[in-house]
Amino acid sequence: MTKTILTVDDSPSIRQMVAATLRRGGYTVVEAVDGVDALARAGSHDDVALVLTDQNMPNMDGLTLTRNLRADERYARTPILMLTTESSAEMKASGKAAGLTGWMVKPFDPKTLLAVIAKVLN
């Protein structure tokens, strides 16, 4: 059975690149444009195996999205990865405190992204 990944990014071009990479990796992809959209989509999909989110987005950032998902029993143990241009130690510490599973910095290498996701899901 194909695993479903919810990918969240306000940049259409980045979101398309990430989604294409994930589909080539054999995953089903649900796309969201920001944290608010992601929460709505997470609420309507009960099969999301992993969430991949950007940090800097309008309406709701990735850390706030992570906190909201962690408060939802259905997503309390779902892996959540941050894919962002942010790389400071302070931001990473905030991500860990929010409940992130991991952190990747853009630009991303498609092979590395798929390898990290496979490792997290297995």
Side-chain angles (χ1 to χ4, degrees), residues 3 12 15 18-19 27 31 35 38 46-47 49-50 53-54 57 64 79-80 87-89 93-94 106 111:
K3 292 185 177 177
R15 201 171 55 250
V18 170
Y27 298 103
E31 299 179 42
D46 59 357
D47 61 343
L50 183 141
T53 184
D54 186 18
M57 300 178 287
T64 304
I80 304 174
S87 62
S88 72
S94 295
K106 295 176 188 171
K111 289 182 182 178

Side-chain angles (χ1 to χ4, degrees), residues 3 11 13 56 59 65 86 118:
K3 292 185 177 177
S11 165
S13 60
N56 299 312
N59 303 316
L65 170 62
E86 301 280 347

Side-chain angles (χ1 to χ4, degrees), residues 25-63:
Y27 298 103
T28 298
V29 178
V30 176
E31 299 179 42
V33 299
D34 60 30
V36 172
D37 188 28
L39 284 177
R41 293 180 189 274
S44 62
H45 287 82
D46 59 357
D47 61 343
V48 173
L50 183 141
V51 177
L52 180 64
T53 184
D54 186 18
Q55 167 55 18
N56 299 312
M57 300 178 287
N59 303 316
M60 182 186 293
D61 64 39
L63 291 179

Side-chain angles (χ1 to χ4, degrees), residues 89-121:
E90 294 83 14
M91 285 296 295
K92 290 179 181 178
S94 295
K96 187 174 182 177
L100 284 174
T101 307
W103 192 284
M104 293 185 66
V105 176
K106 295 176 188 171
F108 70 96
D109 172 63
K111 289 182 182 178
T112 302
L113 177 63
L114 290 174
V116 168
I117 288 173
K119 183 176 181 180
V120 169
L121 290 176

